[in-house]
Amino acid sequence: MALYITDECINCDVCEPECPNGAITQGEEIYLINHELCTECVGHYKTSQCVDVCPVDCILSDPGHPETQEQLQRKYQTLIQQSA
Ligand code: SF4
Ligand code: SF4
């Protein structure tokens, strides 16, 4: 399941450089996660790097984009192929 950032975000910019998929960008008001690029860090790390570093715990699972571990793994493989 992709993650999303709630409006509790304080725009600290800590998460953006940690994302191995370039899924996090600064939006007009708060940071945003592109659900098409977020693999929950599957393929890169054991834990979600953005969640690990966020000081206000405002990054949550997005119920609008449910995905299994297998789907996240496939998404990772597709992203790797696209960037090759
Ligand atoms: Fe990026 Fe991982 Fe956070 Fe998804 S969980 S936005 S892939 S750092
Ligand atoms: Fe917002 Fe958390 Fe990212 Fe900081 S680490 S920009 S508070 S989502």
Side-chain angles (χ1 to χ4, degrees):
M1 169 176 316
L3 305 186
Y4 80 106
I5 295 172
T6 74
D7 60 11
E8 303 284 309
C9 173
I10 57 171
N11 292 306
C12 72
D13 192 35
V14 169
C15 58
E16 188 270 335
E18 300 298 326
C19 180
N21 295 324
I24 303 175
T25 55
Q26 189 168 19
E28 279 189 25
E29 294 185 2
I30 58 172
Y31 276 73
L32 305 170
I33 293 176
N34 182 338
H35 69 86
E36 293 184 1
L37 298 179
C38 175
T39 62
E40 272 189 59
C41 287
V42 166
H44 292 281
Y45 301 103
K46 286 198 167 78
T47 58
S48 295
Q49 299 297 288
C50 57
V51 174
D52 288 351
V53 298
C54 181
V56 294
D57 295 332
C58 69
I59 306 176
L60 307 176
S61 295
D62 184 352
H65 297 99
E67 292 166 296
T68 64
Q69 285 296 114
E70 290 72 27
Q71 286 173 312
L72 291 169
Q73 185 70 37
R74 278 202 296 277
K75 188 196 279 188
Y76 163 72
Q77 297 290 355
T78 302
L79 291 172
I80 290 298
Q81 284 165 8
Q82 286 172 351
S83 65

